[in-house]
Amino acid sequence: MLQKRELLVILAILFFATGIFFRENGPVFAGFSIILMLQADYFVLGKKTGEIIRDFSFTRSSDKRIVIRGEKAVINTEFSLIAPNGITVQVEDLIPQGSVIEKGSNTCSPGETPGKCSVNYDLLCMTHGINIFEGARLSVSDDFFSKQVILGSKKIESPRITVFPKPSFIKSFIPSLSGKNTNILTIFNGQDLKGLREYTIFDDVRTIDWKASAKFDTLYV
């Protein structure tokens, strides 16, 4: 695609140079025609891209809406789009920032089923809080040009995946009756527990009360 366009541009320049050097209108007209053809092709590609976006739709699903950091969620997204003749379309499902794909692929092109393509992948969520999908990227190309369009909306962001921190405990030494220090696992630092409140992303994960959190289905520190 890029090589074809560059070749035509070089050919148009050669026609212009030849026509100017020999003072002939034929080569200049040929070069001008090539430039007009490329401009027309770019205009048509933009129009067809608009048609693809107009008819574009999708459905995305996740087997989990709440996960622990580092836990995977299985994502399945099906895209519906119409690719005009002579146009190649690739769709990329844009994953949330801070997440990675462990298995599978988030890109596809309409294949055996006209107007349909789907992706299935395992998403590892590594960022605490609400993870939002960034939308979908359409890559549209023909023989000479290509365009990329990012589609984003409230619908394209769904489903949102809430990521909780992975439980972790602090080692501390507690004096035993024998006078020896015993190495145990505990959640809290300090001597006293003053109270509980809901967890925020700015809190130390080591201060989470996992028993209370499990009881009320909400993280407490």
Side-chain angles (χ1 to χ4, degrees):
M1 175 185 60
L2 183 60
Q3 292 179 346
K4 290 181 179 180
R5 186 175 73 229
E6 290 180 342
L7 181 61
L8 285 179
V9 171
I10 293 173
L11 188 61
I13 293 174
L14 289 176
F15 277 129
F16 280 126
T18 301
I20 292 173
F21 182 80
F22 291 102
R23 297 183 179 180
E24 295 182 3
N25 294 330
V28 174
F29 179 78
F32 186 70
S33 298
I34 293 175
I35 297 300
L36 283 180
M37 183 194 70
L38 290 175
Q39 289 180 337
D41 182 83
Y42 186 78
F43 174 79
V44 171
L45 179 63
K47 185 177 180 180
K48 290 183 177 181
T49 301
E51 294 174 357
I52 295 172
I53 294 174
R54 183 189 61 199
D55 298 327
F56 176 82
S57 63
F58 85 105
T59 55
R60 184 192 292 117
S61 62
S62 172
D63 66 334
K64 298 173 184 175
R65 299 293 183 93
I66 299 177
V67 297
I68 301 297
R69 182 180 182 274
E71 184 180 8
K72 70 178 181 180
V74 179
I75 308 298
N76 183 269
T77 307
E78 183 174 291
F79 302 99
S80 175
L81 68 160
I82 299 175
N85 292 333
I87 300 297
T88 301
V89 181
Q90 185 180 65
V91 190
E92 179 183 0
D93 196 15
L94 298 178
I95 63 177
Q97 293 185 4
S99 59
V100 296
I101 296 177
E102 182 186 47
K103 182 181 178 182
S105 174
N106 64 328
T107 61
C108 67
S109 298
E112 297 180 357
T113 304
K116 297 282 187 181
C117 70
S118 61
V119 295
N120 186 275
Y121 54 92
D122 294 346
L123 186 70
L124 283 179
C125 301
M126 308 300 294
T127 305
H128 299 164
I130 299 176
N131 282 234
I132 301 174
F133 287 87
E134 298 184 9
R137 179 186 286 115
L138 286 177
S139 298
V140 184
S141 61
D142 63 6
D143 290 336
F144 301 108
F145 294 97
S146 64
K147 294 176 70 70
Q148 286 191 347
V149 181
I150 296 179
L151 304 177
S153 68
K154 292 298 182 183
K155 179 181 178 182
I156 290 182
E157 292 176 353
S158 64
R160 300 186 175 191
I161 300 177
T162 302
V163 181
F164 288 142
K166 186 176 182 180
S168 110
F169 298 91
I170 305 171
K171 289 186 177 181
S172 63
F173 292 92
I174 303 298
S176 66
L177 295 177
S178 63
K180 297 181 179 180
N181 290 331
T182 304
N183 190 12
I184 66 170
L185 294 178
T186 181
I187 299 178
F188 298 102
N189 281 321
Q191 301 296 323
D192 300 313
L193 172 63
K194 302 297 183 182
L196 297 174
R197 63 169 172 79
E198 289 193 19
Y199 168 83
T200 69
I201 60 174
F202 303 104
D203 291 321
D204 189 337
V205 296
R206 296 174 297 181
T207 62
I208 295 176
D209 186 335
W210 294 103
K211 290 184 179 179
S213 300
K215 181 177 180 181
F216 297 103
D217 198 25
T218 300
L219 287 181
Y220 285 98
V221 295

mmCIF file of all heavy atoms in Angstrom, residues 63 70-77 93 95 99-107 118-125:
data_model
loop_
_atom_site.group_PDB
_atom_site.id
_atom_site.type_symbol
_atom_site.label_atom_id
_atom_site.label_comp_id
_atom_site.label_asym_id
_atom_site.label_seq_id
_atom_site.Cartn_x
_atom_site.Cartn_y
_atom_site.Cartn_z
ATOM 1 N N ASP A 63 -16.457 -12.834 31.955
ATOM 2 C CA ASP A 63 -16.964 -13.835 32.884
ATOM 3 C C ASP A 63 -16.906 -13.357 34.332
ATOM 4 O O ASP A 63 -17.500 -13.971 35.215
ATOM 5 C CB ASP A 63 -16.191 -15.153 32.733
ATOM 6 C CG ASP A 63 -14.720 -15.019 33.149
ATOM 7 O OD1 ASP A 63 -14.172 -13.898 33.076
ATOM 8 O OD2 ASP A 63 -14.121 -16.034 33.557
ATOM 9 N N GLY A 70 -4.156 -9.378 39.553
ATOM 10 C CA GLY A 70 -3.414 -10.492 39.003
ATOM 11 C C GLY A 70 -4.280 -11.652 38.557
ATOM 12 O O GLY A 70 -3.795 -12.593 37.937
ATOM 13 N N GLU A 71 -5.579 -11.574 38.853
ATOM 14 C CA GLU A 71 -6.501 -12.624 38.433
ATOM 15 C C GLU A 71 -7.000 -12.313 37.025
ATOM 16 O O GLU A 71 -7.187 -11.161 36.659
ATOM 17 C CB GLU A 71 -7.676 -12.687 39.415
ATOM 18 C CG GLU A 71 -8.656 -13.810 39.139
ATOM 19 C CD GLU A 71 -9.791 -13.820 40.153
ATOM 20 O OE1 GLU A 71 -9.882 -12.865 40.954
ATOM 21 O OE2 GLU A 71 -10.585 -14.773 40.138
ATOM 22 N N LYS A 72 -7.232 -13.334 36.242
ATOM 23 C CA LYS A 72 -7.628 -13.109 34.853
ATOM 24 C C LYS A 72 -9.149 -13.093 34.710
ATOM 25 O O LYS A 72 -9.880 -13.727 35.462
ATOM 26 C CB LYS A 72 -7.035 -14.178 33.943
ATOM 27 C CG LYS A 72 -7.640 -15.571 34.119
ATOM 28 C CD LYS A 72 -7.014 -16.552 33.141
ATOM 29 C CE LYS A 72 -7.647 -17.940 33.304
ATOM 30 N NZ LYS A 72 -7.049 -18.919 32.350
ATOM 31 N N ALA A 73 -9.591 -12.340 33.725
ATOM 32 C CA ALA A 73 -11.000 -12.316 33.320
ATOM 33 C C ALA A 73 -11.045 -12.683 31.844
ATOM 34 O O ALA A 73 -10.249 -12.192 31.045
ATOM 35 C CB ALA A 73 -11.605 -10.938 33.558
ATOM 36 N N VAL A 74 -11.965 -13.546 31.484
ATOM 37 C CA VAL A 74 -12.092 -13.986 30.094
ATOM 38 C C VAL A 74 -13.021 -13.013 29.366
ATOM 39 O O VAL A 74 -14.178 -12.838 29.740
ATOM 40 C CB VAL A 74 -12.634 -15.423 30.010
ATOM 41 C CG1 VAL A 74 -12.776 -15.850 28.553
ATOM 42 C CG2 VAL A 74 -11.714 -16.376 30.751
ATOM 43 N N ILE A 75 -12.491 -12.371 28.328
ATOM 44 C CA ILE A 75 -13.234 -11.358 27.573
ATOM 45 C C ILE A 75 -13.599 -11.908 26.198
ATOM 46 O O ILE A 75 -12.771 -12.515 25.522
ATOM 47 C CB ILE A 75 -12.395 -10.072 27.396
ATOM 48 C CG1 ILE A 75 -11.861 -9.582 28.741
ATOM 49 C CG2 ILE A 75 -13.221 -9.002 26.709
ATOM 50 C CD1 ILE A 75 -12.924 -9.198 29.730
ATOM 51 N N ASN A 76 -14.842 -11.711 25.817
ATOM 52 C CA ASN A 76 -15.302 -12.073 24.481
ATOM 53 C C ASN A 76 -16.011 -10.872 23.876
ATOM 54 O O ASN A 76 -16.957 -10.352 24.453
ATOM 55 C CB ASN A 76 -16.234 -13.282 24.536
ATOM 56 C CG ASN A 76 -16.677 -13.719 23.143
ATOM 57 O OD1 ASN A 76 -17.695 -13.267 22.633
ATOM 58 N ND2 ASN A 76 -15.917 -14.603 22.537
ATOM 59 N N THR A 77 -15.537 -10.429 22.715
ATOM 60 C CA THR A 77 -16.114 -9.271 22.035
ATOM 61 C C THR A 77 -16.445 -9.652 20.604
ATOM 62 O O THR A 77 -15.597 -10.205 19.893
ATOM 63 C CB THR A 77 -15.155 -8.076 22.043
ATOM 64 O OG1 THR A 77 -14.725 -7.813 23.378
ATOM 65 C CG2 THR A 77 -15.846 -6.832 21.488
ATOM 66 N N ASP A 93 -9.802 -4.443 19.972
ATOM 67 C CA ASP A 93 -10.497 -4.175 21.221
ATOM 68 C C ASP A 93 -9.497 -3.540 22.189
ATOM 69 O O ASP A 93 -8.527 -4.186 22.592
ATOM 70 C CB ASP A 93 -11.053 -5.483 21.790
ATOM 71 C CG ASP A 93 -12.106 -5.257 22.863
ATOM 72 O OD1 ASP A 93 -12.618 -4.125 22.965
ATOM 73 O OD2 ASP A 93 -12.430 -6.213 23.596
ATOM 74 N N ILE A 95 -7.945 -2.534 25.455
ATOM 75 C CA ILE A 95 -8.067 -3.020 26.830
ATOM 76 C C ILE A 95 -7.806 -1.885 27.815
ATOM 77 O O ILE A 95 -7.232 -0.853 27.461
ATOM 78 C CB ILE A 95 -7.100 -4.192 27.080
ATOM 79 C CG1 ILE A 95 -5.647 -3.718 26.931
ATOM 80 C CG2 ILE A 95 -7.384 -5.326 26.113
ATOM 81 C CD1 ILE A 95 -4.612 -4.795 27.242
ATOM 82 N N SER A 99 -3.591 -3.189 32.251
ATOM 83 C CA SER A 99 -3.907 -4.608 32.105
ATOM 84 C C SER A 99 -3.132 -5.182 30.930
ATOM 85 O O SER A 99 -2.682 -4.456 30.046
ATOM 86 C CB SER A 99 -5.415 -4.816 31.901
ATOM 87 O OG SER A 99 -5.863 -4.118 30.749
ATOM 88 N N VAL A 100 -2.969 -6.495 30.921
ATOM 89 C CA VAL A 100 -2.227 -7.169 29.858
ATOM 90 C C VAL A 100 -3.021 -8.384 29.399
ATOM 91 O O VAL A 100 -3.847 -8.928 30.135
ATOM 92 C CB VAL A 100 -0.813 -7.597 30.325
ATOM 93 C CG1 VAL A 100 0.042 -6.402 30.658
ATOM 94 C CG2 VAL A 100 -0.910 -8.531 31.541
ATOM 95 N N ILE A 101 -2.744 -8.804 28.164
ATOM 96 C CA ILE A 101 -3.399 -9.993 27.613
ATOM 97 C C ILE A 101 -2.496 -11.197 27.856
ATOM 98 O O ILE A 101 -1.357 -11.235 27.397
ATOM 99 C CB ILE A 101 -3.672 -9.817 26.109
ATOM 100 C CG1 ILE A 101 -4.664 -8.673 25.894
ATOM 101 C CG2 ILE A 101 -4.215 -11.117 25.509
ATOM 102 C CD1 ILE A 101 -4.936 -8.365 24.442
ATOM 103 N N GLU A 102 -3.010 -12.152 28.615
ATOM 104 C CA GLU A 102 -2.227 -13.351 28.933
ATOM 105 C C GLU A 102 -2.336 -14.384 27.816
ATOM 106 O O GLU A 102 -1.368 -15.079 27.490
ATOM 107 C CB GLU A 102 -2.716 -13.959 30.249
ATOM 108 C CG GLU A 102 -1.926 -15.188 30.677
ATOM 109 C CD GLU A 102 -2.513 -15.847 31.904
ATOM 110 O OE1 GLU A 102 -3.743 -16.050 31.946
ATOM 111 O OE2 GLU A 102 -1.740 -16.179 32.828
ATOM 112 N N LYS A 103 -3.516 -14.498 27.224
ATOM 113 C CA LYS A 103 -3.745 -15.522 26.208
ATOM 114 C C LYS A 103 -4.793 -15.020 25.228
ATOM 115 O O LYS A 103 -5.739 -14.345 25.612
ATOM 116 C CB LYS A 103 -4.204 -16.821 26.882
ATOM 117 C CG LYS A 103 -4.431 -17.981 25.923
ATOM 118 C CD LYS A 103 -4.913 -19.210 26.691
ATOM 119 C CE LYS A 103 -5.185 -20.376 25.745
ATOM 120 N NZ LYS A 103 -5.691 -21.559 26.492
ATOM 121 N N GLY A 104 -4.615 -15.358 23.956
ATOM 122 C CA GLY A 104 -5.575 -14.942 22.946
ATOM 123 C C GLY A 104 -5.150 -13.655 22.260
ATOM 124 O O GLY A 104 -4.024 -13.183 22.398
ATOM 125 N N SER A 105 -6.071 -13.056 21.504
ATOM 126 C CA SER A 105 -5.785 -11.842 20.747
ATOM 127 C C SER A 105 -6.977 -10.901 20.828
ATOM 128 O O SER A 105 -8.129 -11.337 20.896
ATOM 129 C CB SER A 105 -5.495 -12.193 19.282
ATOM 130 O OG SER A 105 -5.361 -11.014 18.499
ATOM 131 N N ASN A 106 -6.685 -9.588 20.802
ATOM 132 C CA ASN A 106 -7.740 -8.582 20.851
ATOM 133 C C ASN A 106 -7.947 -7.895 19.502
ATOM 134 O O ASN A 106 -8.543 -6.835 19.433
ATOM 135 C CB ASN A 106 -7.439 -7.537 21.926
ATOM 136 C CG ASN A 106 -6.180 -6.751 21.635
ATOM 137 O OD1 ASN A 106 -5.233 -7.270 21.032
ATOM 138 N ND2 ASN A 106 -6.147 -5.501 22.058
ATOM 139 N N THR A 107 -7.425 -8.488 18.413
ATOM 140 C CA THR A 107 -7.629 -7.930 17.080
ATOM 141 C C THR A 107 -8.248 -8.983 16.164
ATOM 142 O O THR A 107 -8.013 -10.193 16.326
ATOM 143 C CB THR A 107 -6.302 -7.454 16.460
ATOM 144 O OG1 THR A 107 -5.407 -8.567 16.342
ATOM 145 C CG2 THR A 107 -5.656 -6.382 17.326
ATOM 146 N N SER A 118 -14.856 -11.619 15.741
ATOM 147 C CA SER A 118 -14.889 -11.679 17.205
ATOM 148 C C SER A 118 -13.504 -11.957 17.754
ATOM 149 O O SER A 118 -12.635 -12.511 17.065
ATOM 150 C CB SER A 118 -15.870 -12.758 17.690
ATOM 151 O OG SER A 118 -15.479 -14.031 17.222
ATOM 152 N N VAL A 119 -13.281 -11.550 19.005
ATOM 153 C CA VAL A 119 -12.025 -11.810 19.706
ATOM 154 C C VAL A 119 -12.340 -12.455 21.044
ATOM 155 O O VAL A 119 -13.394 -12.224 21.639
ATOM 156 C CB VAL A 119 -11.211 -10.512 19.929
ATOM 157 C CG1 VAL A 119 -10.772 -9.929 18.609
ATOM 158 C CG2 VAL A 119 -12.019 -9.482 20.715
ATOM 159 N N ASN A 120 -11.415 -13.283 21.498
ATOM 160 C CA ASN A 120 -11.544 -13.939 22.796
ATOM 161 C C ASN A 120 -10.158 -13.976 23.420
ATOM 162 O O ASN A 120 -9.217 -14.483 22.811
ATOM 163 C CB ASN A 120 -12.110 -15.354 22.631
ATOM 164 C CG ASN A 120 -12.387 -16.011 23.974
ATOM 165 O OD1 ASN A 120 -11.491 -16.596 24.577
ATOM 166 N ND2 ASN A 120 -13.623 -15.934 24.434
ATOM 167 N N TYR A 121 -10.028 -13.412 24.626
ATOM 168 C CA TYR A 121 -8.711 -13.361 25.255
ATOM 169 C C TYR A 121 -8.842 -13.330 26.774
ATOM 170 O O TYR A 121 -9.896 -12.981 27.318
ATOM 171 C CB TYR A 121 -7.919 -12.143 24.775
ATOM 172 C CG TYR A 121 -8.625 -10.811 24.941
ATOM 173 C CD1 TYR A 121 -8.456 -10.037 26.090
ATOM 174 C CD2 TYR A 121 -9.465 -10.317 23.941
ATOM 175 C CE1 TYR A 121 -9.092 -8.822 26.234
ATOM 176 C CE2 TYR A 121 -10.103 -9.103 24.082
ATOM 177 C CZ TYR A 121 -9.914 -8.354 25.228
ATOM 178 O OH TYR A 121 -10.563 -7.145 25.379
ATOM 179 N N ASP A 122 -7.752 -13.740 27.436
ATOM 180 C CA ASP A 122 -7.671 -13.700 28.895
ATOM 181 C C ASP A 122 -6.993 -12.396 29.298
ATOM 182 O O ASP A 122 -5.852 -12.136 28.902
ATOM 183 C CB ASP A 122 -6.879 -14.890 29.434
ATOM 184 C CG ASP A 122 -7.593 -16.213 29.186
ATOM 185 O OD1 ASP A 122 -8.788 -16.179 28.842
ATOM 186 O OD2 ASP A 122 -6.942 -17.273 29.314
ATOM 187 N N LEU A 123 -7.682 -11.592 30.089
ATOM 188 C CA LEU A 123 -7.181 -10.284 30.500
ATOM 189 C C LEU A 123 -6.702 -10.337 31.937
ATOM 190 O O LEU A 123 -7.454 -10.729 32.840
ATOM 191 C CB LEU A 123 -8.289 -9.240 30.350
ATOM 192 C CG LEU A 123 -7.889 -7.782 30.599
ATOM 193 C CD1 LEU A 123 -6.996 -7.287 29.469
ATOM 194 C CD2 LEU A 123 -9.128 -6.904 30.719
ATOM 195 N N LEU A 124 -5.444 -9.956 32.160
ATOM 196 C CA LEU A 124 -4.895 -9.862 33.515
ATOM 197 C C LEU A 124 -5.033 -8.419 33.987
ATOM 198 O O LEU A 124 -4.441 -7.508 33.409
ATOM 199 C CB LEU A 124 -3.427 -10.283 33.546
ATOM 200 C CG LEU A 124 -3.127 -11.775 33.498
ATOM 201 C CD1 LEU A 124 -1.622 -12.004 33.513
ATOM 202 C CD2 LEU A 124 -3.770 -12.507 34.660
ATOM 203 N N CYS A 125 -5.802 -8.206 35.043
ATOM 204 C CA CYS A 125 -6.047 -6.858 35.573
ATOM 205 C C CYS A 125 -5.049 -6.578 36.678
ATOM 206 O O CYS A 125 -5.052 -7.240 37.715
ATOM 207 C CB CYS A 125 -7.475 -6.752 36.087
ATOM 208 S SG CYS A 125 -8.718 -7.099 34.822
#
